[in-house]
């Protein structure tokens, strides 16, 4: 903005020449400059004012170009100006000179000066003709100056220092929380990788889904960051407890299975051997050896142990938290054809949610149906329903994707939609179509011939087989 601006109000007033745009912070800076000009008793060293100004500018959200402008303005102000009792620290470089030295255009240099004035870091000591000019005596002291006044930094020194300290303290805390978030997330991922490696049963997709949502969460302030850390800590405790519980059940089931061997009559121990082993066991206990832990060998206990494992294995697909079982990995494994339409769709949950309209265009689905899905199902469940629709349409199971998606939306409005079950079913089908590593090919069962058998094999067939057996025996 130039030094001369025209403003016209909505009431139809005539434009006024030479009026600068006023902001609360800029007005406060002008008042501070006038107050400093009346009584120049407060003194701040130039280097200290420069450091505080740059630190406060970063805390106020000013970009690097405006901070570079502060450096350049202080370069025109010698240290003696900050201790002078006769004049304020005013500099008067032209916009063209500032733009040339900073490598900017004149309009960009004006923009950065407006930003510093709006932040309350500088004030304008304007000449009646809006020129920047100054005069110094033989000793270099300012005699007369009109231009950019830096005295608001002196008057607001304590305030700017407090702003900078709070910002830097919050920055250190944010970095510490960021490191903590990364560490907790890695620990959760390590447990989930161990679960997948060991093949442990359980509703682990629910934990994957919770981790995906917490990974995509963006904390705008420290309170939200702390809440995010608490949620990740709770998830880590739940994952570790579930892993510990399932590992114990799995070890118990393995021990039970190994202890219950099928015994035939020939394998039953004789009465003498039984008495011998019993006396030997009693001698070991008498000698002080620790007894072996009792294993549940009765039929009822074995059934209870295995039913507990099956109960933990079955996922919780209740309607209230159905979307909580849906993770990004589950959608990727269940609906791989989405990458044919949008290759980067599975980079993150944010990318997946934002791809709804593009998927609708690719599948010729009316965008109004997608709007209804987002309204009634929410963004996560809506994109999951659209992914199922697209995958089944690509597989040839759905002829009208728009009608199918609308049916899912109607079921969701009635509280009857369990989209995670559809995703689990599709994931199982896709996983079954891929041969497992190390598995041997299974020959198809030929069965009986389709042609009817007219009669028993004749002697010709027997005679044809005898030479083969003879050759085999002679070899």
């Amino acid at each position: 903005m130039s030094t001369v601006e025209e403003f016209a109000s909505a009431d139809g007033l005539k434009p006024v020449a030479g009026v600068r745009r006023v902001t609360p912070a800029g007005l406060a800076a002008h008042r501070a400059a006038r107050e400093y000009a009346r009584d120049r008793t407060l003194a701040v060293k130039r280097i200290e004012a420069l450091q505080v100004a740059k630190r406060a500018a970063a805390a106020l959200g000013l970009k690097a170009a405006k901070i570079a402008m502060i450096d350049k303005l202080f370069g025109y102000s010698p240290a003696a100006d900050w201790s002078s009792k006769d004049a304020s620290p005013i500099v008067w470089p032209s916009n063209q000179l500032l733009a040339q030295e900073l490598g900017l255009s004149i309009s960009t240099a004006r923009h950065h000066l407006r930003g510093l004035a709006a932040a309350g870091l500088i004030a304008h000591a304007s000449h009646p003709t809006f020129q920047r000019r100054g005069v110094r005596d033989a000793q270099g002291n300012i005699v007369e100056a009109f231009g950019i006044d830096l005295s608001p930094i002196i008057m607001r020194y304590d305030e700017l220092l407090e702003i900078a300290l709070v910002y830097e303290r919050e920055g250190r805390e944010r970095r510490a929380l960021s490191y903590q978030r990364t560490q907790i997330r890695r620990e959760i991922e390590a447990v989930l990788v161990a679960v997948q490696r060991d093949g442990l049963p359980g509703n682990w997709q629910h934990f994957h889904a919770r981790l995906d949502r917490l990974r995509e969460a963006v904390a705008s302030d420290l309170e939200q960051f702390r809440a995010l850390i608490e949620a990740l800590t709770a998830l880590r405790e739940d994952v570790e407890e579930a892993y510990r519980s399932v590992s114990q059940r799995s070890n118990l089931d393995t021990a039970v299975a190994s202890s219950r061997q099928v015994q035939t009559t020939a394998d039953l121990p004789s009465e003498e051997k039984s008495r011998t082993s019993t006396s030997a066991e009693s001698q070991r206990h008498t000698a002080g050896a620790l007894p072996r832990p009792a294993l549940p060998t009765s039929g009822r206990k074995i059934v209870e142990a295995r039913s507990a494992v099956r109960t933990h294995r079955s996922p919780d697909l209740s309607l209230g938290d159905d979307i909580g079982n849906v993770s990004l990995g589950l959608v990727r494994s269940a609906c791989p054809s989405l990458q044919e339409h949008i290759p980067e769709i599975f980079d993150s949950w944010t990318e997946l949610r934002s791809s709804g309209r593009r998927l609708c265009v690719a599948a010729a689905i009316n965008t109004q149906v997608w709007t209804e899905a987002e309204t009634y199902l929410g963004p996560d469940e809506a994109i999951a329903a659209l992914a199922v629709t697209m995958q089944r349409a690509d597989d040839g199971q759905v002829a009208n994707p728009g009608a199918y998606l609308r049916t899912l939306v109607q079921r969701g409005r009635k509280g009857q939609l369990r989209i995670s079950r559809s995703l689990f079913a599709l994931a199982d089908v896709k996983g079954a179509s891929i041969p497992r590593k190390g598995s041997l090919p299974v020959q198809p069962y030929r069965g009986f011939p389709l042609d009817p058998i007219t009669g028993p094999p004749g002697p010709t067939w027997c005679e044809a087989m005898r030479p083969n057996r003879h050759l085999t025996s002679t070899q």
Side-chain angles (χ1 to χ4, degrees):
M1 183 178 69
S2 62
T3 57
V4 178
E5 289 191 354
E6 294 182 353
F7 289 89
S9 65
D11 298 334
L13 297 179
K14 293 182 179 181
V16 181
V19 176
R20 296 182 182 276
R21 183 175 299 172
V22 177
T23 62
L27 182 59
H30 276 282
R31 297 183 64 180
R34 291 196 297 265
E35 183 179 353
Y36 180 77
R38 287 194 299 266
D39 183 13
R40 298 185 179 94
T41 56
L42 183 61
V44 176
K45 293 182 179 180
R46 175 185 175 275
I47 186 63
E48 295 176 354
L50 175 60
Q51 292 176 352
V52 169
K54 293 171 65 174
R55 292 165 62 186
L60 294 173
L62 301 184
K63 303 301 181 182
K66 291 181 175 60
I67 297 178
M69 179 65 76
I70 295 175
D71 263 327
K72 185 59 61 179
L73 293 177
F74 269 77
Y76 293 106
S77 179
D81 292 350
W82 295 82
S83 58
S84 175
K85 303 296 184 180
D86 300 326
S88 300
I90 299 176
V91 295
W92 50 90
S94 64
N95 290 334
Q96 182 178 0
L97 181 60
L98 289 173
Q100 181 180 355
E101 293 187 353
L102 290 173
L104 306 172
S105 64
I106 296 178
S107 60
T108 305
R110 290 173 178 169
H111 168 73
H112 294 323
L113 289 175
R114 287 198 302 267
L116 295 179
L121 297 177
I122 63 173
H124 290 282
S126 300
H127 189 268
T129 60
F130 297 102
Q131 295 179 352
R132 295 177 191 163
R133 65 183 186 182
V135 178
R136 293 182 182 272
D137 58 14
Q139 288 77 26
N141 299 321
I142 296 177
V143 176
E144 183 184 44
F146 299 96
I148 301 172
D149 194 345
L150 303 178
S151 60
I153 299 176
I154 300 177
M155 299 300 296
R156 300 181 60 196
Y157 181 84
D158 294 336
E159 176 190 355
L160 295 177
L161 180 59
E162 181 65 23
I163 292 174
L165 291 176
V166 171
Y167 173 76
E168 292 167 359
R169 182 170 61 250
E170 291 181 354
R172 289 192 296 269
E173 185 176 358
R174 181 178 289 272
R175 284 193 297 272
L177 292 175
S178 179
Y179 296 154
Q180 188 178 0
R181 176 183 60 181
T182 302
Q183 182 64 27
I184 297 175
R185 195 168 56 196
R186 287 177 178 175
E187 293 175 358
I188 296 172
E189 291 172 350
V191 176
L192 295 177
V193 168
V195 167
Q196 185 177 5
R197 180 195 63 219
D198 299 339
L200 298 178
N203 184 19
W204 303 106
Q205 282 295 336
H206 176 71
F207 297 120
H208 279 287
R210 288 174 60 185
L211 180 60
D212 288 342
R213 281 154 181 79
L214 292 177
R215 185 186 289 113
E216 295 294 326
V218 178
S220 59
D221 53 18
L222 286 178
E223 291 298 328
Q224 295 183 3
F225 218 140
R226 297 188 189 100
L228 178 60
I229 295 298
E230 292 179 0
L232 281 171
T233 303
L235 176 59
R236 180 180 61 182
E237 294 176 357
D238 293 344
V239 170
E240 292 177 351
E241 178 63 24
Y243 178 74
R244 185 190 63 81
S245 178
V246 174
S247 299
Q248 290 180 352
R249 290 195 181 100
S250 179
N251 294 335
L252 176 62
D253 198 24
T254 304
V256 170
S258 62
S259 64
R260 286 186 54 83
Q261 300 176 353
V262 180
Q263 296 181 346
T264 59
T265 305
D267 295 331
L268 291 176
S270 61
E271 183 178 359
E272 181 180 356
K273 291 182 179 180
S274 177
R275 288 195 301 268
T276 304
S277 62
T278 303
S279 62
E281 184 71 20
S282 61
Q283 289 176 2
R284 284 197 301 270
H285 287 309
T286 305
L290 295 175
R292 296 178 60 186
L295 297 176
T297 55
S298 65
R300 178 178 299 178
K301 293 183 179 180
I302 294 173
V303 171
E304 291 177 355
R306 292 180 178 175
S307 64
V309 174
R310 284 195 299 269
T311 301
H312 188 79
R313 184 184 296 122
S314 60
D316 181 15
L317 299 180
S318 60
L319 289 174
D321 194 24
D322 179 68
I323 194 63
N325 299 303
V326 179
S327 65
L328 186 63
L330 176 60
V331 180
R332 183 190 298 112
S333 59
C335 308
S337 66
L338 299 185
Q339 289 183 306
E340 299 176 3
H341 305 284
I342 304 176
E344 67 279 3
I345 190 170
F346 293 122
D347 290 350
S348 64
W349 262 108
T350 304
E351 185 67 31
L352 180 62
R353 294 190 198 99
S354 62
S355 304
R357 293 193 178 274
R358 287 187 289 172
L359 291 176
C360 290
V361 173
I365 299 176
N366 191 344
T367 55
Q368 180 63 29
V369 181
W370 170 245
T371 303
E372 295 177 1
E374 284 188 311
T375 302
Y376 296 113
L377 302 181
D380 292 340
E381 195 168 7
I383 194 62
L386 180 59
V388 171
T389 302
M390 292 284 295
Q391 184 61 47
R392 290 185 171 173
D394 293 340
D395 292 343
Q397 302 176 4
V398 174
N400 191 340
Y404 185 82
L405 180 59
R406 191 182 294 273
T407 301
L408 294 181
V409 173
Q410 292 174 356
R411 290 173 57 188
R413 295 181 63 179
K414 297 178 182 178
Q416 300 174 355
L417 180 62
R418 299 187 180 183
I419 198 63
S420 61
R421 288 189 173 181
S422 301
L423 289 170
F424 278 116
L426 286 173
D428 291 341
V429 171
K430 301 302 177 183
S433 62
I434 302 175
R436 296 181 181 273
K437 183 178 179 181
S439 60
L440 297 177
V442 180
Q443 297 295 333
Y445 177 66
R446 300 181 61 87
F448 290 98
L450 298 178
D451 297 333
I453 300 176
T454 56
T460 306
W461 180 80
C462 297
E463 293 174 359
M465 293 297 295
R466 286 195 188 99
N468 294 335
R469 290 200 303 270
H470 178 70
L471 293 175
T472 304
S473 63
T474 56
Q475 290 175 358

